[in-house]
Amino acid sequence: MKKLKAIIFDFDGVICESVDIKTESFKQLYSEYGDQIVKKVVKHHLSNGGVSRFEKIKYYHKNFLDKIVDKNQLKELSNIFSPLVVSKVIEAPYVRGANNFIQDNYKTYDFFISTGTPEDEIIKILEKKDIYKYFKSVYGSPMEKTDHINSIMRLNNYKKNEVVFVGDADTDIIAAENNGITIILRKHNSSICKKEYFKTIKIEDLTDLSSVLYNLNY
């Protein structure tokens, strides 16, 4: 019998139905450059879920606009992006089953967040949604998800079979694989994985999570 001790959750598209909010915010941020640029930005954004906005903005400016963004410009652009997102994410609905699962199981498992959202921002969102108290630790950018998982496992002395990651994107799958832990992939309309991962456990929403975890435990 394998005894799971910890669950690491991505946030957007896993706990909260907020992927489209980020998409619309990127559209607004690049709207002045025309529809063709916006289409490229949206396509890349949806294909690279979990990557921090800082990396995406640098990529879009360099590859789509032929511009290099310095630290001050990146901060300015992020300061424009953040207000477009935070209030809407706070108001966004939970993924079906997410809130119930968290409240019913936070005493059974250690819960963690690993997201590409800036750390101070995701903490604010979790506090406003009144679920921050259920998570042992919260990790965001600028650290990458592979490092999030590594840190969680090292600091808590977890074995590989004691931790699972619930995500919705390639970055989540890769981060889990890099650390040798099981990935559970939430599939939704906005999730785009660049390749099919046949061994990945897939769920429609978090109403399926309890039964999946039971099977992993036994």
Side-chain angles (χ1 to χ4, degrees), residues 104-122:
D104 290 345
N105 293 279
Y106 74 95
K107 293 181 179 178
T108 304
Y109 306 101
D110 294 336
F111 286 163
F112 300 87
I113 293 286
S114 170
T115 176
T117 299
E119 198 161 295
D120 58 343
E121 188 174 299
I122 188 61

Side-chain angles (χ1 to χ4, degrees), residues 5-11 15 109-115 126 134-139 148-149 151-153 155-156 158 162-166:
K5 292 184 178 180
I7 304 173
I8 306 171
F9 296 91
D10 178 41
F11 185 75
I15 289 178
Y109 306 101
D110 294 336
F111 286 163
F112 300 87
I113 293 286
S114 170
T115 176
L126 294 169
Y134 298 122
F135 294 91
K136 187 170 182 178
S137 295
V138 174
Y139 292 78
H148 294 171
I149 298 172
S151 180
I152 289 167
M153 294 179 71
L155 293 175
N156 295 279
Y158 296 133
E162 295 174 339
V163 185
V164 297
F165 192 111
V166 185

